[in-house]
Amino acid sequence: AAESVAEALAAARKIGYPVILRAGFALGGLGSGFANSDEECRALAEKAFANSPQVLVERSLRGWKEIEYEVVRDCKDNCITVCNR
């Protein structure tokens, strides 16, 4: 996780473009997006830092499908799993 625009740029350069930036501690939006260059990375990072103290910089997997599982358990140890696509 990057805690400054400079750290986000350094991480993107190390990973190699394209990358995806996501605001930490936020669910989607809020400065998330794909960057193909330092200029795009800087703009996204500045937007993300307006909403969060950290930014996650990851290799872009654009075109892949995301599947998310949510598990809910109650105080009696009943458990359900929900899959979101």
Side-chain angles (χ1 to χ4, degrees):
E3 296 182 352
S4 69
V5 173
E7 285 183 12
L9 285 166
R13 291 175 187 142
K14 182 176 180 179
I15 293 167
Y17 290 104
V19 295
I20 185 168
L21 274 73
R22 296 186 297 130
F25 312 105
L27 298 174
L30 301 178
S32 298
F34 294 95
N36 295 299
S37 65
D38 280 356
E39 295 78 24
E40 292 177 2
C41 183
R42 179 182 305 280
L44 282 171
E46 289 171 352
K47 184 177 175 185
F49 280 120
N51 297 296
S52 175
Q54 75 175 201
V55 172
L56 307 174
V57 182
E58 303 168 345
R59 182 179 354 153
S60 170
L61 299 177
R62 182 175 244 158
W64 286 37
K65 301 293 180 196
E66 177 180 353
I67 298 174
E68 180 179 349
Y69 289 92
E70 297 183 33
V71 179
V72 179
R73 179 176 293 166
D74 67 13
C75 64
K76 295 183 180 181
D77 211 24
N78 296 305
C79 186
I80 62 168
T81 304
V82 179
C83 177
N84 298 315
R85 269 186 4 152

